[in-house]
Amino acid sequence: MKRPLLSLFAAIAVASLSGAPLRAQSSATTAAPDATPAPVDPRLAALKAAVAADVKSQALFDLGQQMVDMVFSFSELGFQEFETSRYLTGILEKEGFTIERGYAGIPTMWVARWGSGSPVIALGSDVDCIPQASQKPGVAYHDPIIEGAPGHGEGHNSGTPLNIVAAIAAKRQMQKAKIPGTLVIWPGIAEELVGTKAYYVRAGLFKDVDVVLYNHVGTDLVTSWGEGQMNGLVSIEYTFLGESAHSAGAPWRGRSALDAVELMNAGWNARREHLRLQQRSHYVITNGGDQPNVVPRNASVWYYFRETNYEQIKKLWEIGDKMAQGAALMTDTTFTSRLLGSAWPIHMNKPLALTMHDNIKAVGLPTWTEADVTLAKATQAELGVPVVGLATKIADLKGQEEIPDDERRGGGSDDIGDISWTVPTVSLRFPANFQAGPGHNWANAIPMATPIAHKGVNAGAQVIAMTVMDALLRPDVIAAAKDYFTNVQTKNRKYTPLIRETDKPAVELNTAIMQKYKPELQKYYYDPTKYKTYLEQLGITYPTVRPAPQKTTAGQ
């Protein structure tokens, strides 16, 4: 985990003092230095070294570990992050941040602010978890804490704790050096439903923000710029209304809403052959009726329509509406639809990525122990994927202003895309996980309350804190980021939200699931006053792997 302070200071000094001012360029190559470099604040290298050292201190390392473990134990689904929000805002209030709760009409959403004046630097990450992903941390095979319960199978228990640690370290140096500026921390509520960030934009959260430093759990310490392979999407629920009747006694008097749902799905699956290769679409039936002997009067199906740009997303949505219309005509039913979430495709800022990458190189990867590597390799072997262990090398910075559409083949979505088209934004991936799980799965929760996550979060917090200091003390970084955003990224494409004026956040989602599982989950909430780590509280030996099969001797 730790690097010698002198070597880190030297690396930071090189990154801070030798780098030339940034310029936005449309090519995929690194920006060339200006002929007349802007003066560098002489305090910068020392302040970056100071925030990094503070983040690495035992006190902040332990705070990060406790927050990561606590949020892991809450295991709250999207829009139901009540314990998580209460706990994290309590920590921030003790650190002097002011909290605005219930932002954008979302009960679990909050915004924390500290400082005054410009620049305004916003730190964001997600906090919700995954259905049916309960898993004991540090155990290299499927072993749920509570069978069927939610769990952090995407690792969202780590990103906001990372930002809080980074912000505390940055705030301390801002106070000591009397540096003006405002720090803003916000959580990604219901990211797994892509259900909120467009509403943050609409509510004006980023109106006065200069840059956004976002983060997401990953398997290495890396950033990138430009377009990515992820799609945008709309999330739409279609609800059909028919008429009930006795399914055996008088079925001819009924009009089945479930038939409409099934016909819509059959139509969509037939249409897939004639859709673009770039699209991804999937659905679940959220209401299939009440019981078999009653013709379903109402039924619902929930679709994700994913595509590479706004126009193609809208086309998929229009096709979905036509499918629903056809299904309603065939079954003599009616339908309504509701938007549950949306996301623009992502575009990350090049000058911010260049700055962040310098800090990534200065911080370096954590030092993994034999136990860390054993857990990673055992999990990889368990899942039948390449046994590669943990990240050992910092990757080169990569980016592409625009990926040709015919080179894209679909992928996931993140509503950070809406923010990235509203304000200059960069995202950090940090090594709190390892290559193994398929995503949105119990296997991805295995390392998320272990030393792997704790060390990965600390490394990421160092990078974020140092990048905050760059944004505070290097006006050229802010200027270049805004220039790229205005004259490159948004020159030919402007942000048009996919949400409509009448759409509202679907804050009731996941209520029933959490009501079912929360009483059991509460029995396993982490208690840092009694236990150093969540592993200790659960009585887990780190790492726990499957015992090697016993060899038998012939003749026994």
Side-chain angles (χ1 to χ4, degrees):
M1 178 193 70
K2 297 184 177 179
R3 299 177 70 194
L5 183 57
L6 286 176
S7 65
L8 177 61
F9 186 98
I12 293 169
V14 170
S16 300
L17 300 178
S18 66
L22 301 167
R23 293 189 304 173
Q25 293 189 354
S26 60
S27 69
T29 59
T30 303
D34 284 340
T36 55
V40 175
D41 190 309
R43 303 172 296 173
L44 180 59
L47 287 169
K48 289 174 69 172
V51 294
D54 197 10
V55 170
K56 291 174 66 178
S57 71
Q58 197 64 54
L60 282 187
F61 185 92
D62 289 348
L63 176 61
Q65 171 258 307
Q66 289 179 11
M67 288 191 289
V68 166
D69 287 4
M70 185 69 83
V71 178
F72 184 95
S73 74
F74 291 146
S75 295
E76 292 178 303
L77 294 169
F79 288 118
Q80 306 304 315
E81 309 95 331
F82 291 100
E83 299 295 339
T84 299
S85 292
R86 186 179 300 114
Y87 169 70
L88 295 175
T89 55
I91 291 171
L92 285 163
E93 284 179 317
K94 290 179 182 177
E95 289 291 333
F97 284 77
T98 59
I99 308 296
E100 182 180 359
R101 293 179 170 86
Y103 192 85
I106 302 163
T108 56
M109 172 57 179
W110 48 268
V111 181
R113 295 181 174 88
W114 181 89
S116 63
S118 297
V120 180
I121 303 163
L123 312 181
S125 192
D126 306 318
V127 292
D128 58 329
C129 74
I130 299 290
Q132 300 191 47
S134 178
Q135 171 65 27
K136 292 178 182 175
V139 178
Y141 48 84
H142 191 206
D143 189 6
I145 297 173
I146 301 170
E147 182 63 48
H152 273 285
E154 179 70 6
H156 286 175
N157 61 304
S158 56
T160 301
L162 183 160
N163 282 337
I164 292 174
V165 169
I168 290 171
K171 175 179 75 81
R172 289 172 178 173
Q173 296 306 316
M174 291 170 71
Q175 288 174 314
K176 289 180 182 179
K178 296 181 171 53
I179 300 171
T182 304
L183 302 180
V184 179
I185 303 176
W186 54 268
I189 298 299
E191 188 279 331
E192 295 302 344
L193 304 172
V194 287
T196 60
K197 295 188 183 80
Y199 295 103
Y200 301 175
V201 172
R202 186 168 77 181
L205 176 55
F206 305 101
K207 181 181 178 181
D208 299 318
V209 169
D210 290 291
V211 295
V212 169
L213 308 183
Y214 183 68
N215 76 63
H216 194 285
V217 61
T219 61
D220 48 16
L221 195 60
V222 67
T223 189
S224 61
W225 63 273
E227 290 189 343
Q229 290 292 343
M230 298 177 76
N231 280 338
L233 69 71
V234 285
S235 164
I236 310 293
E237 185 177 48
Y238 294 92
T239 297
F240 293 86
L241 179 65
E243 186 55 79
S244 61
H246 195 297
S247 298
W252 54 87
R253 296 182 63 179
R255 300 192 305 278
S256 174
L258 178 58
D259 285 350
V261 163
E262 292 181 310
L263 285 167
M264 179 177 179
N265 295 343
W268 188 267
N269 288 331
R271 184 65 182 267
R272 288 181 193 276
E273 180 184 357
H274 311 290
L275 297 175
R276 287 166 24 108
L277 295 175
Q278 293 90 333
Q279 73 87 29
R280 294 290 185 273
S281 51
H282 16 270
Y283 59 82
V284 293
I285 297 174
T286 53
N287 174 19
D290 300 304
Q291 57 193 59
N293 64 335
V294 179
V295 173
R297 183 173 181 270
N298 47 54
S300 301
V301 60
W302 180 9
Y303 271 81
Y304 274 17
F305 300 126
R306 305 185 196 252
E307 255 287 6
T308 59
N309 58 51
Y310 175 86
E311 293 79 13
Q312 294 296 339
I313 295 167
K314 293 280 285 187
K315 285 182 182 179
L316 277 190
W317 189 354
E318 291 168 1
I319 294 170
D321 286 351
K322 290 179 181 178
M323 291 286 176
Q325 292 168 7
L329 286 170
M330 286 187 284
T331 54
D332 197 17
T333 59
T334 60
F335 82 94
T336 57
S337 66
R338 180 186 177 192
L339 184 144
L340 299 181
S342 69
W344 258 61
I346 291 169
H347 191 117
M348 292 300 169
N349 189 272
K350 182 177 181 180
L352 291 179
L354 288 164
T355 303
M356 180 174 280
H357 183 66
D358 283 342
N359 295 326
I360 287 171
K361 291 187 293 183
V363 171
L365 287 163
T367 299
W368 308 117
T369 65
E370 182 179 352
D372 298 333
V373 176
T374 296
L375 178 66
K377 289 186 173 181
T379 305
Q380 290 157 354
E382 175 78 13
L383 297 178
V385 300
V387 179
V388 296
L390 290 153
T392 58
K393 182 181 178 181
I394 296 295
D396 293 336
L397 176 65
K398 295 181 180 179
Q400 194 169 349
E401 180 186 325
E402 183 175 355
I403 300 174
D405 208 44
D406 59 4
E407 294 181 11
R408 302 177 68 154
R409 289 297 178 267
S413 308
D414 189 325
D415 49 359
I416 188 62
D418 291 78
I419 296 171
S420 75
W421 285 93
T422 303
V423 61
T425 302
V426 68
S427 181
L428 173 72
R429 293 272 177 168
F430 57 95
N433 213 304
F434 46 72
Q435 298 178 38
H440 294 181
N441 183 268
W442 57 265
N444 296 86
I446 288 173
M448 290 313 307
T450 73
I452 294 170
H454 305 150
K455 288 184 275 193
V457 163
N458 193 265
Q462 293 176 57
V463 173
I464 292 293
M466 292 164 63
T467 308
V468 168
M469 301 314 293
D470 279 315
L472 289 168
L473 295 173
R474 292 183 59 190
D476 63 302
V477 169
I478 301 291
K482 291 183 176 182
D483 181 66
Y484 178 90
F485 181 80
T486 301
N487 296 316
V488 179
Q489 179 183 342
T490 63
K491 181 179 180 180
N492 298 314
R493 177 173 290 277
K494 306 299 181 183
Y495 173 69
T496 303
L498 287 157
I499 61 171
R500 302 156 297 193
E501 290 186 6
T502 55
D503 291 320
K504 297 180 180 179
V507 297
E508 79 286 353
L509 291 179
N510 292 320
T511 300
I513 298 174
M514 290 307 301
Q515 287 176 342
K516 176 180 179 180
Y517 286 107
K518 189 169 184 176
E520 285 299 308
L521 287 166
Q522 287 174 326
K523 299 175 184 178
Y524 295 94
Y525 284 177
Y526 174 45
D527 184 353
T529 67
K530 294 181 179 179
Y531 303 97
K532 173 66 175 174
T533 67
Y534 196 43
L535 289 173
E536 180 185 346
Q537 178 171 323
L538 295 176
I540 294 171
T541 300
Y542 180 74
T544 295
V545 303
R546 286 193 189 278
Q550 297 293 320
K551 294 183 179 180
T552 58
T553 303
Q556 285 187 337

